Amino acid sequence: MRSITNRPGTAWPTRRLVVAAGRLRLIVTGVRDDGALCDYVAGRLAGLPGVRAVTLGGSRAAGTNRPDSDWDFAVYYRGDFSPDSLRALGWPGTVSEIGGWGGGVFNGGAWLEVDGRKVDVHYRDLDDVEHHLAQARAGRFGIQRLMFHLAGVPTYLVVAEIALNRVLRGDLPCPAYPDALRAAAPPRWWGDARATLGYGRAAYAARGRLAETAGTVAVAACQAAHAALAASGQWVTNEKTLLERAGLRGVDGILAGLDPHAGRLARAVDDAEALLQAAVTRAGGAVPA
């Protein structure tokens, strides 16, 4: 199959000429360029009852997106917000209820399609965000479980979002990384990493359980990466590039060499601990003996 796409950035509908099975077909896949799409979605979201601000996040906000990257929006609401108002916009997809993604700081959202593009919408309660901003400034935070996140997510994730995301509608604070959080987060995360490795060493490596040992090393690597990035005052919003940013991609080599021999698994855990500790120390995090 061969396709030809019209010049990007135009205001005309996006057209693809697709050659398949010897036949030529013209497919219209969108009616707005990226800038117009962003403005359109932001405007519709900002008009929903209770919404006070709309942001763009992810790779689109960072400028690292590919042409096919998703669009990640967040709606910041005060008081009551009904997902039914989002459903009423008529965009195809799945809209969760408040708390539908497990509760906690990541309290729900939607996976939608607008003009043939994938659009995600996250719900953010402004009262909750402001609470966690005050907590972060005091050096306090929790760690919550979230699907697809090995180490879980810190409650200051919602603070990281408003610090990094692009505000499209409304007003939001743009917090600097708090000194109190920079002091408190690394020992907490590093303590969790060491405990994870210690359990893996005793419960899994000593019994030759390769999969479980690999899992504990991977989780500990993400925990240590959080420690290193917090020590250097870098916000984290997800785990997608966590190990790269913390200089911990070398853990791949340790995991690649695993086999179900108790002694070799124990050495792998030791090697991982040394690697992780060096990264945290390099970032300026205090590493207790």
Side-chain angles (χ1 to χ4, degrees):
M1 183 173 71
R2 181 167 58 89
S3 67
I4 306 168
T5 306
N6 68 312
R7 182 172 61 85
T10 66
W12 298 100
T14 304
R15 299 174 174 87
R16 284 196 302 134
L17 290 173
V18 179
V19 181
R23 289 190 289 182
L24 186 67
R25 297 171 57 208
L26 176 64
I27 300 176
V28 178
T29 59
V31 296
R32 297 172 180 87
D33 65 15
D34 284 353
L37 175 79
C38 185
D39 188 61
Y40 166 69
V41 173
R44 298 303 301 274
L45 294 177
L48 300 179
V51 172
R52 298 290 179 267
V54 178
T55 65
L56 176 68
S59 62
R60 296 279 179 182
T64 59
N65 58 288
R66 302 185 308 271
D68 61 343
S69 293
D70 294 354
W71 291 81
D72 296 303
F73 294 90
V75 291
Y76 289 80
Y77 60 89
R78 183 86 68 185
D80 291 334
F81 169 73
S82 173
D84 285 338
S85 65
L86 179 56
R87 293 186 184 100
L89 294 178
W91 296 329
T94 302
V95 179
S96 86
E97 297 303 321
I98 301 293
W101 289 354
V105 294
F106 220 80
N107 70 334
W111 296 291
L112 304 169
E113 184 176 306
V114 182
D115 280 4
R117 262 75 66 86
K118 292 180 180 178
V119 170
D120 297 342
V121 179
H122 297 167
Y123 309 151
R124 293 291 179 264
D125 184 330
L126 264 174
D127 291 338
D128 189 57
V129 171
E130 289 168 355
H131 166 73
H132 289 299
L133 174 56
Q135 290 289 97
R137 284 173 171 163
R140 295 190 291 268
F141 67 99
I143 300 172
Q144 299 176 352
R145 250 193 100 173
L146 182 65
M147 286 285 286
F148 320 122
H149 288 69
L150 294 178
V153 295
T155 51
Y156 55 79
L157 174 143
V158 292
V159 183
E161 289 177 336
I162 59 173
L164 298 176
N165 292 358
R166 215 168 93 209
V167 179
L168 303 175
R169 297 289 191 279
D171 294 302
L172 291 170
C174 184
Y177 205 100
D179 290 339
L181 185 63
R182 192 167 176 170
R188 165 77 183 278
W189 282 112
W190 176 243
D192 287 357
R194 285 195 69 190
T196 299
L197 290 172
Y199 188 85
R201 184 184 290 108
Y204 301 136
R207 293 171 171 80
R209 293 174 178 166
L210 189 154
E212 293 91 332
T213 302
T216 56
V217 169
V219 170
C222 290
Q223 292 166 330
H226 272 289
L229 293 174
S232 58
Q234 297 185 55
W235 291 115
V236 173
T237 57
N238 58 57
E239 291 182 347
K240 292 178 182 177
T241 60
L242 192 58
L243 298 185
E244 285 87 352
R245 290 176 61 196
L248 284 173
R249 200 71 265 171
V251 77
D252 291 344
I254 295 172
L255 292 178
L258 292 184
D259 65 53
H261 180 280
R264 286 191 282 274
L265 288 176
R267 283 195 295 276
V269 174
D270 292 342
D271 290 344
E273 183 164 5
L275 177 72
L276 304 185
Q277 180 172 322
V280 176
T281 302
R282 203 163 48 241
V287 177

